[in-house]
Amino acid sequence: MKCHIIAEDSKVLAKENKILLMGTPNVGKSVFFSALTNVHVISSNYTGTTVSYMEGTYQVGETQYTLIDVPGTYSLAATSVAEEVAIRFMCSNPVAVLFVLNAADLEGSIKLALEVMEYNIPIVFALNLMDVSERKGFAINVKLLEQELGAPVIPTIAVKGKGLDEITKTFAQLLGGERPALSERSCSSCSGCAGCGVTAGNDGLEYWERARQIVRKVVSRTDAQPNFLDRLGDALLRPWPGLPLALLILLVSLGIVVGGGKALRAVLLLPLVNQGIVPFFERVITPLNLPPVLHNILIGNYGVLRISFEWILALVMPYVLLFQVQFALLEDSGVLPRIAVMFDSLMRKLGVQGGSLIHIFLGFGCAVPAIIGTRTATTHKERLMVTAMVCFAIPCISQTGALISLLSAYSVGLLLATALTGAVIFVTVALVLGKFLKGNVDPLILEVPNLLIPEPRAYFKKLWVRIKQFLVEAEGPMLIAVFIAAIIAETGILAGLAELLKPVVSGWLGLPEGAVMSLILGIIRREMSVAPLLSLNLNPLQMYVGAVVSLLYLPCLSVFGIIAKEFNARTAVVITVCTTFTALLVGGLMNHLVLFVQSIF
């Protein structure tokens, strides 16, 4: 196999002692990487999670190697970004490859393995998902598979740590000059592999044919019957009962986040903040007799030591925590891609694939990873559409939690009205962009993983990493927003800005002048546009208008930055201007429309 290294190769390609971790999507490569390198990598159960590579140190005997988690692909035909990256790594002189085979779908894995073997690089195969394969009634002759592939094959269940030590021992033999004992390789009917030097045709049909031949030899059926999870997984792929089940799962998940978040906030966090934390700081700060301005900045109505706990801990955290619990469960169980398949026809009417629903769900957690995830979209048009849809009408979980707390204190009707307004804007943005943006949207091609119960250790590791990421990436900007709020409230800046923006805030939107704080803080973090409304004693109409403006308001600074990076600065500016204009326009129209209706009746 000839390799052509392009000039843009990064430093990692020039590293020596590289071992590549390769395989098809959804086969558990990230679990291997995390276990072998002790680097915590988020592994997800749907296609496209690993877009870029990860690297870590892998100790084999006395030698340290760099283990590279190469993007999961279905081929090495260089027809996608992931395949191009994989080929670059294959051409960078790695010392070995750890190839993860999918025991539950062996044919596709072997087809890719045959392509990888053409590069004549020492290889060890991990036959993963053995438990799923047995559950489905497949028995695999591992020794015969070794003979067919001419390389070591180690049965593994990565999420349970089974087989990982054997992989390291095999690499120690392979890279230490010892060749692991194998049966003589069979090359009968071979249409293209590294061992005999035969090159497969460009269309890949020979690879598929050879893969089918191997599977027929090494795989046999047992009398195992599909269990409940298998039957449920199949049901979720059919319109009936799949669609009602998908809706039920989403409603239950939403109910757990909303109901559980409210309960956690009311029973634990609010009493902790109002009766414990804030009074403690009041007792500490008050005797110091600080200047009034400094005292108010620390512990006044907008004091840092007051609202940082009221807004961040009591308002945002319970919903963020429960959302991550639910989202990680839907990911690792394999439910999300099934929901994407179920809603593909509906999403296609909006101009995008059903698979984009996964990125939209991710946007409810945070828009930044949702926008990064659109790299897996097959066309630029779809990627831009999904990004805009997320920015216009999908609130992050912090903002969602704040809106729930804000609106549910008034009525469920206000919460539903705000959600309906956001849904209308979401659909409108999709239809408008679908009509005016040039390009096509390809059909949905999505590998649906097995439905399974997440392994607890891997699940809680993922959950902890995501919560830690939120604490690191979001808490800092939120604290900055709280500090800015205290400064502008206690130094008189707020009054000046309120007077300047009075025609918009009070005249058009019908909100009190203090609501200008929401527009200022929303630039830093979207949920911070909601929090200041809590203390303004708004009437139901004002509360609805404020919630709508917050929901549709401009992306926060981190989202602006990622749009500029993933697309360009012009796109980021256009989306920011359009979302801000839409928020103010829709908020004002709703205000005046309701007032007009009230005047009639």
Side-chain angles (χ1 to χ4, degrees), residues 440-463:
N440 300 313
V441 176
D442 294 335
L444 174 64
I445 301 177
L446 180 67
E447 180 176 332
V448 179
N450 300 289
L451 194 67
L452 48 82
I453 297 175
E455 198 276 324
R457 186 177 60 177
Y459 170 79
F460 284 110
K461 179 184 287 187
K462 166 185 281 191
L463 185 61

Side-chain angles (χ1 to χ4, degrees), residues 282-507:
E282 287 177 336
R283 290 193 299 269
V284 171
I285 299 297
T286 301
L288 298 178
N289 294 318
L290 299 173
V293 172
L294 180 57
H295 178 275
N296 290 337
I297 288 176
L298 290 176
I299 203 68
N301 290 335
Y302 278 99
V304 174
L305 298 176
R306 180 184 301 274
I307 61 174
S308 61
F309 295 104
E310 290 180 353
W311 290 0
I312 300 174
L313 179 61
L315 181 63
V316 171
M317 276 304 297
Y319 300 99
V320 170
L321 177 63
L322 290 173
F323 175 84
Q324 296 296 2
V325 168
Q326 289 295 108
F327 193 81
L329 183 63
L330 293 178
E331 275 186 320
D332 283 6
S333 64
V335 169
L336 269 187
R338 286 171 168 79
I339 292 177
V341 172
M342 280 289 95
F343 288 94
D344 181 55
S345 59
L346 176 61
M347 296 300 294
R348 192 158 291 281
K349 289 183 173 63
L350 299 181
V352 296
Q353 294 180 1
S356 295
L357 198 60
I358 293 174
H359 306 309
I360 293 168
F361 280 136
L362 192 57
F364 280 103
C366 178
V368 171
I371 293 168
I372 293 174
T374 62
R375 294 174 182 172
T376 58
T378 54
T379 65
H380 179 77
K381 175 180 179 177
E382 181 171 15
R383 190 179 183 203
L384 188 56
M385 285 182 65
V386 174
T387 297
M389 291 157 70
V390 168
C391 290
F392 268 88
I394 301 298
C396 67
I397 187 55
S398 305
Q399 188 182 20
T400 301
L403 286 169
I404 291 170
S405 297
L406 184 74
L407 296 169
S408 59
Y410 282 72
S411 73
V412 176
L414 281 181
L415 183 60
L416 294 176
T418 304
L420 180 61
T421 304
V424 170
I425 297 298
F426 179 86
V427 172
T428 302
V429 169
L431 294 177
V432 170
L433 291 178
K435 183 176 181 180
F436 288 100
L437 286 180
K438 296 180 180 180
N440 300 313
V441 176
D442 294 335
L444 174 64
I445 301 177
L446 180 67
E447 180 176 332
V448 179
N450 300 289
L451 194 67
L452 48 82
I453 297 175
E455 198 276 324
R457 186 177 60 177
Y459 170 79
F460 284 110
K461 179 184 287 187
K462 166 185 281 191
L463 185 61
W464 166 241
V465 168
R466 287 192 167 168
I467 292 173
K468 186 168 65 174
Q469 283 179 334
F470 173 80
L471 293 175
V472 172
E473 297 172 6
E475 293 291 331
M478 283 195 285
L479 286 173
I480 292 173
V482 167
F483 184 74
I484 292 173
I487 295 293
I488 57 182
E490 301 301 338
T491 58
I493 298 175
L494 179 61
L497 291 172
E499 184 64 28
L500 179 65
L501 298 176
K502 186 175 181 179
V504 175
V505 175
S506 300

Side-chain angles (χ1 to χ4, degrees), residues 57 81 132 139 200 203 223 238 250 341 381 456 464 485:
T57 300
V81 175
V132 178
D203 57 6
D223 57 359
R238 299 192 299 269
L250 292 177
V341 172
K381 175 180 179 177
W464 166 241

Side-chain angles (χ1 to χ4, degrees), residues 8 66 83 256 260 278 281 326 341 348 402 501 531 535:
E8 302 175 345
T66 298
E83 291 173 9
I256 291 174
V278 173
F281 282 110
Q326 289 295 108
V341 172
R348 192 158 291 281
L501 298 176
S535 60

